[in-house]
Amino acid sequence: MSLSLTFTFALLTSVLIDPVSGNQQCQASPLLINPTAQVRFSVVSSIRQSTRTEECYRVSQNAVQYLAAIQWAVDVINSLEFLKVMSLGFDIYDDCGLDRLSTYGAMNAVSTSFPAKVTNCTENKTIYNLGILGTSRSQTAKNVASLLIGTNIPMLSPFASLPELRNYDNFLRTTPDDTQQVKAIVQLLLELDWTYVAAIHTDDNYGYNGIKEIQVLAKIHNICVDVVESFSSTEDFSSDTTRHNLYGKLEKQQERSEGRRLGVIYFGNKNVIKSLLSRIRLDNKFKELIWLMTDFVGRSEDVFSTVENVSSGYITVSSASVLIEGARNHFNDTWNNRTSGSEDPIERLLSEVGNEAQESYRSDYVRPVVDAVFAMATAFNDVFKDKCQSYTSVCDGFWEYLQQNYLRRLKLVDFSYSSLNSTLEPKELIEMGRRIRFSGLGDYLATDTTPLYDINVFRNGKFEKVGEYLNRTLQVNTSSLQSYKSSVCARVCENCRSKPEIPYRYQYGGDQSQAIILGIFPLHTINETDKYGCGDLDTGSYFVLVVEAFFFAVKEISQKTNMNFSALAFDDCYSKNRISLILSEFFSGKLKIPDEQGNFLDPNNVVTVIGAAASGVTVPMTFQFTALGIPVISYASSSPDLDDRINYPYFLRTVPSDVDQARAMIEIVKHLKWKYIGGILYVNNNYGSKGKELLMRYANESDICIGKAIELQEAEDNSYDVIDEMKRTNSDVFLYFGTDVRLKSLLVKMKTDRYKSVVFLASEDWGERQDILDEHGDAVIGSITSKFETRSAVTGFDSYLQDLKPDVQNSNDWFRKFWTNFFNCNPPGRFDKTKTNDCPPSTGFTRSNIEQLVKNQRIVHVMNAVFAVGTAMVRVKEKLCQGVSYPCENIKSHVDDVVKEIQAVELSGGGLTYSVFNANRNGNVGFQILNIQKRDVTSYQYKQVGEYKNGQLTLSSNFRFYNASGNPREIKALCTKETCSHCIFSKPAESAPSRPAVIPNGTEEFRIAEIILIALLGFFLVFFIFSIVIITRYFKSKIKGIIENKPKVMYVNETPAASNPLLSGKGIHFQNPGHSNGSMSVRNDGSSGQRGFDNQAFVRESYNHLNDGSETSSSRGQRLDYSPLSPDPPVVGGKRIKRTSESQEFRPDLPPRDHPPSRIKYNSNSSLDSGGTTTPTVPKMGITRSMQANGQVPGDSGTPSPTGPKSARLLPTIDPITHTPVSPLASPTHSSSSSSQKMGPSPRVILRNLPLADKNMHSPSGGYQMTSAHLSHNLNSPHGSVSPEDISAEFPPPPDFTQPIPTSVPQTAKIKSRISASRSAEEAARISRV
């Protein structure tokens, strides 16, 4: 038994660990330098080179020089006994320039730092590992630095210059970062007068970020850097297609430059440019090129030794080099001793290198390497001194202390070579007094006198230093660079135009192209925090390929119609705010997009818009385009709001309305005989909300009970709240109306929450997304979805997809990102390798992929929309643009005709001719019904089971539903007492068979309670309405009686005709000359068309000249039938009398009221009850003033009150006749509820005053004539307001108007008053209306 287990374990070990051989196990084996040394560090470097076809195939010359420099520096430290108590050595790991191998090497290198519990020590030996020295490339350095996050293991690189590496706490370097190199290069471009420059780079972080920084800085100095192409770091240009593609782009750049003289910047590793130049030398087209290369190439003579005459010159930037003779001599000795059987690993490596290695010695490699080794040794000494102080051997606990503190001490290193003996090595650095320090971020700190870079030219077979970059300043020998000057644009260079930050894609239609078809697509998800931003690229919905279909269709229809349309696409990110901003910027001219001719696109040339997908984006967007007179055709928006042809007169769509979709979903529910649906899950945007309303309506009409409507937030993820609501419904069936993005988020949370599998009946936005099945098939198995019917009139898109490959684009990389996620690999030209593997050259869409994609509903409908527009525009051009260029002005002024032409388009496809749009301008298509079914044990498929078209549901096969075990089951979603108690059906609902006796009784009890409740509510409603009617009629009758019994009091002047001011031409002043707003017109009878305004003196009260019977008939002719609200002033003596202003109404020049009273005659036929308690009131006319018994106005100083109306205080006044208090609220416009209860209704008083020219003139009857200002009180009086008690106080009864007034009552004028007893019913009704 034991032997059997041992054999099984050995067999498994051989299978799992060594897939190549059953008796051999291969492990990474480092090269050990000074293997007996106890203090060691690990070197991870690209010793061997790799190509696209072979990994680790040949030793790199410069890598061996790099290792030899490290070995020399270690030997110097050991010879100086720099570490005092121990010696120094290192281990070499080869990553072959590959990311994954650098990670493997780093893991082996740090294995000695693992805790003792997880290590297997084979020897009783203590190793003090100082960390990693390397790597030689920025890309691999980033991978290793990421691996070391959270540890105290340092990584010190002599060459990795990527700026973002400073973000890793474990990383340090002894070379400047690329930011300094970029500044040096841009200053060199200015020195060379290069204003138009081409650029090539490798697709790693080093190449991409370097060129990007150069572009940004060069743009500030008006230098255009146009990226031509990027290549993999293993590219060898053995492919004819790759070479010819690059050659064509370089030739195009040369044609744009003056004299074909073109400067080219190369930012990448030396192997790629070496292979390129070796290929270019066979072609004589590029002799005018001048190359400028970065420090990775530096002073590598082997790159240029065989291609010196291929181009006009080579300039390189290299790290500031110091020729250290000791290091050079060490390499020479190693070179001379190289043999394959040598004990020295470096000598063995040199034996694999050709003879050219010694000739290509790179002195610029040595200085940063020596600095790195001395920095690591210095930090070790500092830690030893901190812990062991003056010990001559290692003290206890030193290893643990070293692990915890070595990284900190390395960052604090401040070492000067001048501290060493000047007779020893390194002499050159000692003489320079070179100093090693690091910033807090691990960057090398150079002094102001330390050069960072050298500028070199390669000519006559060797490098010549022509300048250096020192203290942020470039210093060059101008005469040495004279032959390399000038690289400028000869004509318009469109790629140098400023491009907006908003991502877009533009396709030029040709030289005769002006018309633009604009496309709007949701390529990214919505940003939950920034309403104008975007989320991640939405690769699952294939909208990136929808964009490709859009551009393909525009190109095809242009060729078919010979119209040459250009195409422009924007990304709305499912955000109405974002697309509104983009469109406003573009159509206002602020967003400038260059075309192929170097001009900016004219937004007035946009003839049609294709989009958008989301209804919430399409609705506000269509408003904008309606105002601009541009038709909009959506390929996906189905909101019923867009059926409104009044607000959206220029909108069409290739898909049906959600009205049809909601009906289709309810028809499916009816077919399955489901009576209870747990809930409607909807996204709270236009699409989801409108769909939910339609589903609720049609479900109610069909006696289908919906548990609840559950809202999913569009702008934030509330999936867990939704799941809680779903659980409360106790249902397995839900309707879903929303976007696929929110659905995926919900499904992820359902899996996290371990929520059971449910059946969704979903809208078409789910459609047939494969990623949902791949990731959540087990959670949605049995669900029902739909998609729009697809009929395509476009052919050739399958071939287009077959040849489609990612290409380098400056403005955006939508397709490249999609390619990366779809194939799970890094495409060529990808600078940031987010995937583990690079895409093989054969990567592409398979036949099955293409068959699925060409049937995608979004792809088909967007191409149909483009073809409909292109076909219609041929007829539009013939009808509206005769004799003028297209697009013409007539298109914008005849948009209705353009829309009709688009609506009438018929397309042909699959042997059929069909209309794209129906009579409502919606898509002339139906729905395909899909059911998610099991394909096999672990995979699922969308199977079409029917269709819905023209209001009819047709099923070709049965739906399939599954239980938790994956076995078929039947779903009976029936109502129960608990689930459907809130629903009201037009007919009895079908009950669940499991509880036949309970549900009907419960339903009946529910019906009875409901009927009783409705009856009670109806009774109370009728009683309330009846009470209101009775109360209203009662108060109306009371008010009518008050108005009909109201006396009519009028004041008249009994002056004879001879002295009448009307006849004498004297001025007439009315207290209220017109309405406050100045806009009320009054008919001749004094009535107006409106009611309720203030100060309505003389309204609807005809003037009656009253007398005691002694006046002649001629005096009646002197009546003034005029209302102060009339727009025309009165006529006196044939002349218009000018009205007075408010400030003129008060007349202090009138006589005081201290004259003896005259007897006033009263009409014995007056209808006024002499025994009544009604107090005559002074009518309110304008600014009301009341006169006291002594003839003075209270609070009046002869001028109007400056406090204004709002500061007025209402005071009771003294009636001048009766000496009784009169409430200031007694006027109809100031009535008080409290006073009206005690005093009764106040009569309406009409007051006419005819002022005399002379205030001392008496009437024949002995009375003075007075203006109304003396009979009123200023409401703006400053004497304070009247309390409610004062207002409600009961006033003494008025005098009996049928009897003479006692002579003791002071009178100011002789007044005759008559109260009409013959008041007709018509006149009473007229007054009542007022």
Side-chain angles (χ1 to χ4, degrees), residues 174-194:
T174 55
T175 188
D177 67 273
D178 284 334
T179 303
Q180 300 298 325
Q181 182 174 201
V182 166
K183 293 178 181 178
I185 290 174
V186 173
Q187 290 188 35
L188 183 58
L189 296 179
L190 293 172
E191 185 68 32
L192 294 171
D193 295 329
W194 288 10

Side-chain angles (χ1 to χ4, degrees), residues 51-53 57 231 234-247 250 270-287 289 291 302-303 306-308 310-311 314:
T51 65
R52 298 192 313 176
T53 58
Y57 85 105
F231 298 101
T234 59
E235 181 62 60
D236 59 3
F237 297 97
S238 59
S239 169
D240 293 338
T241 302
T242 302
R243 291 198 311 273
H244 293 159
N245 181 43
L246 175 62
Y247 291 173
L250 283 176
K270 78 164 194 174
N271 297 327
V272 174
I273 191 61
K274 184 177 181 179
S275 299
L276 176 60
L277 292 177
S278 66
R279 300 285 182 176
I280 284 181
R281 69 177 180 173
L282 303 177
D283 200 316
N284 295 324
K285 298 178 181 178
F286 305 110
K287 287 187 175 296
L289 297 182
W291 294 87
D302 57 298
V303 174
T306 60
V307 295
E308 182 176 357
V310 171
S311 300
Y314 303 97

Side-chain angles (χ1 to χ4, degrees), residues 798-810:
D798 52 349
S799 299
Y800 175 81
L801 288 176
Q802 186 72 48
D803 300 331
L804 190 60
K805 303 290 183 182
D807 193 11
V808 177
Q809 299 180 29
N810 295 329

